[in-house]
Amino acid sequence: ARPIRWVIIILVIALIATHLLGAFKPSFGPVEIMETYELNGIGFGARTLGVLAIVLGLIQLERILYVLERGDPFVAAVVKGLQRFAILASLGFVLVIAAPTVSALTSPGAGHVTITIEMRDFVTLAICLVFFVVAALVGEAVRIAAENKEFI
């Protein structure tokens, strides 16, 4: 679990760095950082909140792995962490996906707005739903483990 915790920490740093670099659009010689969509302040704010939610969700995953390193996987902390991760990741991805539309809708003179949703957006949200199911299953496993301890 420890190597995965390091991967999560590196992912959090990379996510924050990518978000900030996308905002400032620096150029490093032949390497130029660009965004897919130009966002106004409100759209950038929505995307920032989305990135923050995803980062907080990843921190929940790191905490879950810490608890798993310590011992019993069937504890309430794991269930709560999975639930928080599912909620934060879902909220974060919805905000990140919606940021270009929010930006377009709040731009001055926004007459015609095109909403673009790609297949990967649906897949990402479906994966988030899987985490809700996993959290419910682990919650049931925790309940059964507690029942079994009472019999012993």
Side-chain angles (χ1 to χ4, degrees), residues 45-66:
R47 189 178 71 187
T48 300
L49 289 175
V51 169
L52 178 62
I54 293 168
V55 165
L56 292 174
L58 289 171
I59 290 169
Q60 288 300 313
L61 277 185
E62 193 275 333
R63 288 181 180 173
I64 291 168
L65 291 172
Y66 179 77

Side-chain angles (χ1 to χ4, degrees), residues 48-132:
T48 300
L49 289 175
V51 169
L52 178 62
I54 293 168
V55 165
L56 292 174
L58 289 171
I59 290 169
Q60 288 300 313
L61 277 185
E62 193 275 333
R63 288 181 180 173
I64 291 168
L65 291 172
Y66 179 77
V67 169
L68 293 177
E69 282 179 2
R70 297 275 183 227
D72 189 9
F74 299 111
V75 294
V78 172
V79 176
K80 291 291 182 193
L82 282 170
Q83 290 169 339
R84 287 183 193 126
F85 171 75
I87 291 167
L88 289 166
S90 298
L91 175 65
F93 286 121
V94 166
L95 286 169
V96 168
I97 291 166
T101 303
V102 169
S103 186
L105 289 172
T106 58
S107 292
H112 178 73
V113 175
T114 302
I115 298 173
T116 304
I117 299 177
E118 299 176 13
M119 180 58 87
R120 70 174 177 214
D121 299 332
F122 289 113
V123 171
T124 300
L125 293 175
I127 291 169
C128 289
L129 289 176
V130 168
F131 277 100
F132 282 105

Side-chain angles (χ1 to χ4, degrees), residues 2 11-12 14 34 37 40 48 52 63-64 77 81 85 91 106 117 136 138 140 144:
R2 186 166 294 233
L11 185 59
V12 165
M34 299 177 62
Y37 303 101
N40 64 11
T48 300
L52 178 62
R63 288 181 180 173
I64 291 168
F85 171 75
L91 175 65
T106 58
I117 299 177
V138 173
E140 185 63 16
I144 291 170

